[in-house]
Amino acid sequence: RACAGYGLTCRVGASEVLLGNREWLGRHGVSLSAAQEAQVAPLEAEGKTIVLAARDGQLAGAVTLADTLKPEAAAVLSQLREMGVQLWICSGDNERTVRHLAQQLGVANFTACVSPSGKAEKVAALQAVGEVVAMVGDGINDAPALAQADLGVAIGG
């Protein structure tokens, strides 16, 4: 069973296996110890995403993922800011990872740990105060927000 933006649950033999973010595992009663948190926090602060794995209610491992920014991304966003465009990052990733990304790109406004429907709600909230919203997204988790936006741009391969 998959839950967009959070993770998945499956059975492997007689074991229940969870893969996903911290919130997903927490919903299933799995949390990180202080020592595990101390290992994960610096990686997230570097902009990495941690996918956690649990088996039968016990943390079993983690995989670290990292997006590579396009070399021209910061310059393009700087040009948009100079044109008066208000920039936001609205991500399902954890706050440390999103903060790092926002700092790299020079984006002051960001939200983290946002579900797919929460992204659409953020777009709608901006529209409700008269903003015209262009949403750029790269995955299935962005589909509701892309549909809500005045202009939706789906990227990726």
Side-chain angles (χ1 to χ4, degrees):
R1 185 186 83 173
C3 184
Y6 296 100
L8 62 89
T9 304
C10 64
R11 294 209 73 70
V12 176
S15 296
E16 179 183 55
V17 176
L18 304 168
L19 295 172
N21 62 23
R22 187 175 287 134
E23 183 175 343
W24 181 249
L25 270 66
R27 287 181 185 182
H28 292 85
V30 179
S31 60
L32 275 66
S33 69
Q36 292 163 335
E37 182 63 38
Q39 290 178 315
V40 167
L43 297 169
E44 291 174 338
E46 294 172 6
K48 296 180 172 95
T49 298
I50 310 299
V51 178
L52 301 169
R55 181 177 177 181
D56 296 328
Q58 298 296 315
L59 189 66
V63 176
T64 303
L65 307 172
D67 289 325
T68 303
L69 293 177
K70 301 277 187 208
E72 65 277 7
V76 169
L77 295 180
S78 178
Q79 290 174 346
L80 289 170
R81 265 191 307 282
E82 289 172 13
M83 295 168 51
V85 174
Q86 184 183 123
L87 302 172
W88 279 85
I89 296 174
C90 190
S91 174
D93 272 325
N94 68 80
E95 185 168 348
R96 290 183 197 115
T97 298
V98 178
R99 180 180 307 281
H100 179 80
L101 176 64
Q103 289 172 344
Q104 282 187 298
L105 295 172
V107 175
N109 304 308
F110 67 89
T111 57
C113 301
V114 184
S115 67
S117 62
K119 292 177 186 182
E121 291 166 8
K122 179 63 180 173
V123 170
L126 290 168
Q127 291 169 325
V129 296
E131 299 289 345
V132 175
V133 179
M135 167 71 185
V136 179
D138 67 351
I140 190 68
N141 294 336
D142 298 318
L146 290 167
Q148 176 67 44
D150 298 290
L151 172 65
V153 180
I155 60 171

